Amino acid sequence: MNYDEAIGYLQGLTKFGVNFGLGRIKELLRRLGDPHRRLNIVHIGGTNGKGSTTAMIASILMEAGYKVGMFTSPHLHSYTERFVINGECIAEAQLAQLITTVKPHLEAMVAEDYEHPTEFEVSTALALYYFAQAETDFVVLEVGLGGAIDSTNVVTPLVSVITNVTLDHMDYLGPRVEDIARVKAGIIKKGVPVVTAADGVALEIIKQVAGENNSKLIQVGQDITWTPLSSESEKGYQEFLVKGLQNHYHVRLPLLGPHQQINASTAIAAVEMLFRWGHHIPAQAVLAGLSKVRWPGRMEIVRQHPTVIIDGAHNHAGAVALRQALQQHFPHRDIILVLGMLADKERAKVVAELAPLARTVIVTRSNNPRAGDWTRLADYVKVYLDDVMIEENVTEAVKKAVSLAHQDQLVCITGSLYMIGEAREALGRDFAFNPEA
């Protein structure tokens, strides 16, 4: 298969939906030679921040001289973004070859009366096989959904990380934080240390599960702490001090928002826990890795005059973090908000956080079947302000927002990761994608 055929085949597996359980992925990996058993893995779950934390850990390990694989989801522009080694996405031809290699195993499984693996299960298997074939030193593996029965949970990592636990995906994980915390704590393995930035009842459940598994627990905010210093918001970075488990760090991070200070502290704790396995990561590698980390679509400044920010605040916790970041880094700025969300998210709660900050809101539609009655979002916004526009096409919504903004105002594009991916492409195509423009 060529790349387009291979991706078409892979994405066609969405017809098998979300089907929890580890039986299918274990069988598929067995047929591929159990590649996950040959990998040194840092496993990262949580509701928000797990992607940023994954990128930070990978960047630190690369700066320490290791060959590092990174598996994340979803992607913004190309499926190849999910499979990264040392900062480089897999080549299209190589991904096509991997899918071609795996396809006969899937057909054989079905012929032998196994259930067909889902799209995410196949993606996970592809990643683990790819990283094992490339003989990576480390793999930083992001959980897809939940934890306990997510397909990534076939691995036994060196360190487990649970960034935080808030309400999201309640239709799959349960209606209460307690329910979700138990699912996410399912990535804790016997004797494997766990780092978490969770709090409240979620933290208590994680403590309980860690104790049951004789797993050392490192609490971000208690065992590792941070102190804010300053930020250069327009230039897109902030500075803060971190008192780690092994060292003190003066961090310069090119990701904005107080939540990223928590994520960076979590990443440092996870990396420092690798010391117990004999992997030494110098303090300078930690600082260099954090200073160079890139994670597109998260408080990302993509243009100046007017300032345009893209952020994937796709749930309530993400909206809280975005509101705090905007208030901290861009106080007293008039904001034009472009907002597009999936119908299965807590749209009213997200709007309650963000709409009061805005002068104008343009509601748009994510190109995803889960967009549902996307115009209903405008009704939620009208509770807070009258200047609300509806533009179905994301590119046109972005153009409208930029045209309305004065040089000293701010355009914030946020909501569904699918939508911000479209917006980011539109900015690159139609606005000569350049933060200094």
Side-chain angles (χ1 to χ4, degrees), residues 234 306-309 326-327 329-338 354-361 385 387 401-402 404-413:
E234 297 291 350
T307 302
V308 179
I309 290 175
L326 291 172
Q327 290 175 326
H329 295 294
F330 302 97
H332 315 303
R333 295 280 290 271
D334 281 345
I335 297 174
I336 297 174
L337 187 67
V338 179
L354 299 178
L357 304 180
R359 185 197 81 189
T360 301
V361 176
L385 74 162
D387 195 358
V402 173
L404 290 173
H406 300 308
Q407 295 297 295
D408 60 345
Q409 294 177 334
L410 185 145
V411 175
C412 180
I413 304 165

Side-chain angles (χ1 to χ4, degrees), residues 235-435:
K235 295 180 180 178
Y237 71 85
Q238 58 181 325
E239 296 188 27
F240 48 98
L241 300 176
V242 177
K243 183 179 179 182
L245 306 172
Q246 307 287 340
N247 294 296
H248 291 200
Y249 307 90
H250 184 150
V251 176
R252 186 180 187 274
L253 185 71
L255 298 172
L256 297 178
H259 59 293
Q260 296 293 13
Q261 297 179 24
I262 300 172
N263 292 335
S265 300
T266 304
I268 289 172
V271 166
E272 288 189 328
M273 287 309 296
L274 294 175
F275 283 27
R276 67 181 286 166
W277 299 104
H279 303 288
H280 179 62
I281 294 91
Q284 190 54 43
V286 173
L287 295 176
L290 291 176
S291 73
K292 296 177 182 179
V293 69
R294 296 292 180 268
W295 194 232
R298 280 71 173 183
M299 275 300 289
E300 180 185 18
I301 299 175
V302 295
R303 186 177 172 84
Q304 299 284 18
H305 315 303
T307 302
V308 179
I309 290 175
I310 295 180
D311 186 79
H314 61 285
N315 58 24
H316 181 234
V320 170
L322 175 57
R323 173 180 56 77
Q324 292 172 343
L326 291 172
Q327 290 175 326
Q328 173 176 316
H329 295 294
F330 302 97
H332 315 303
R333 295 280 290 271
D334 281 345
I335 297 174
I336 297 174
L337 187 67
V338 179
L339 184 62
M341 294 187 64
L342 302 179
D344 55 5
K345 299 294 182 177
E346 295 182 295
R347 295 185 291 184
K349 288 185 176 181
V350 169
V351 168
E353 297 292 342
L354 299 178
L357 304 180
R359 185 197 81 189
T360 301
V361 176
I362 302 174
V363 171
T364 190
R365 181 185 185 278
S366 176
N367 184 22
N368 186 284
R370 289 159 55 202
D373 182 11
W374 63 276
T375 60
R376 179 69 190 281
L377 195 57
D379 297 331
Y380 296 127
V381 176
K382 288 174 183 176
V383 173
Y384 301 94
L385 74 162
D386 296 325
D387 195 358
V388 183
M389 306 178 190
I390 296 176
E391 173 52 65
E392 181 171 6
N393 183 275
V394 172
T395 297
E396 294 304 315
V398 170
K399 286 182 177 180
K400 184 67 172 177
V402 173
S403 71
L404 290 173
H406 300 308
Q407 295 297 295
D408 60 345
Q409 294 177 334
L410 185 145
V411 175
C412 180
I413 304 165
T414 190
S416 158
L417 291 174
Y418 301 96
M419 188 276 285
I420 68 166
E422 291 182 69
R424 198 169 183 271
E425 280 189 4
L427 284 160
R429 182 176 62 248
D430 298 324
F431 295 97
F433 188 41
N434 178 5

Side-chain angles (χ1 to χ4, degrees), residues 42-80:
V42 180
H43 197 194
I44 303 176
T47 303
N48 291 87
K50 58 183 182 290
S52 297
T53 304
T54 297
M56 291 177 192
I57 293 172
S59 186
I60 291 169
L61 293 173
M62 280 190 290
E63 285 298 317
Y66 294 107
K67 187 176 185 179
V68 184
M70 183 175 77
F71 177 63
T72 59
S73 62
H75 57 273
L76 289 181
H77 304 299
S78 169
Y79 222 100
T80 59

Side-chain angles (χ1 to χ4, degrees), residues 23 48 62 69 111 123 128 142-143 155 177 183 194 206 214 216 244 268 270 278 306 353 363 399 417:
N48 291 87
M62 280 190 290
S123 294
L128 295 170
E142 181 191 6
V143 170
V155 305
V177 169
V183 175
V194 56
I206 291 168
N214 194 29
K216 180 178 177 60
I268 289 172
E353 297 292 342
V363 171
K399 286 182 177 180
L417 291 174

Side-chain angles (χ1 to χ4, degrees), residues 202-219:
L203 176 59
E204 293 307 310
I205 290 170
I206 291 168
K207 282 182 178 179
Q208 176 189 338
V209 176
E212 292 169 353
N213 284 278
N214 194 29
S215 299
K216 180 178 177 60
L217 178 67
I218 297 89
Q219 296 179 50

Side-chain angles (χ1 to χ4, degrees), residues 1-11 13 28 32 79-80 83 90-107 119 122-123 125-127 129-130:
M1 291 185 286
N2 63 31
Y3 177 73
D4 290 337
E5 292 168 340
I7 290 300
Y9 170 76
L10 183 59
Q11 292 179 327
L13 301 182
L28 177 56
L32 293 172
Y79 222 100
T80 59
F83 314 89
I90 189 172
E92 290 185 353
Q94 194 167 13
L95 180 54
Q97 182 56 53
L98 283 176
I99 295 170
T100 302
T101 297
V102 169
K103 183 180 177 183
H105 294 291
L106 301 175
E107 294 171 342
E119 178 195 11
V122 174
S123 294
L126 288 170
Y129 184 72
Y130 173 51

